Amino acid sequence: MLPQDPYILLSFINTKLRDEYASLSALCGALDADQRELTEKLAGTGYAYDPAANQFKPV
């Protein structure tokens, strides 16, 4: 289960991307998470996924 708090979720996802997954789609597939829903939730905190960095970064 993914954290519900958007800022804890941001930290969790960026850590997983850095340490375990080569892409957001790989992470979402492994964790059975909806990529669009995850991206929208983090967009609400002012962050967007940067595929080149494989991290969510401030917009």
Side-chain angles (χ1 to χ4, degrees):
M1 176 171 246
L2 295 175
Q4 295 302 306
D5 179 275
Y7 294 100
I8 294 173
L9 177 63
L10 172 66
S11 178
F12 176 82
I13 294 299
N14 274 344
T15 299
K16 290 285 190 186
L17 287 168
R18 181 190 69 223
D19 296 344
E20 299 176 33
Y21 298 100
S23 68
L24 181 59
S25 60
L27 179 145
C28 289
L31 299 180
D32 195 31
D34 183 292
Q35 186 171 338
R36 187 183 56 122
E37 184 179 309
L38 179 64
T39 302
E40 287 174 2
K41 188 168 190 173
L42 293 178
T45 65
Y47 285 78
Y49 181 65
D50 177 356
N54 194 33
Q55 293 284 293
F56 278 88
K57 295 185 166 189
V59 250

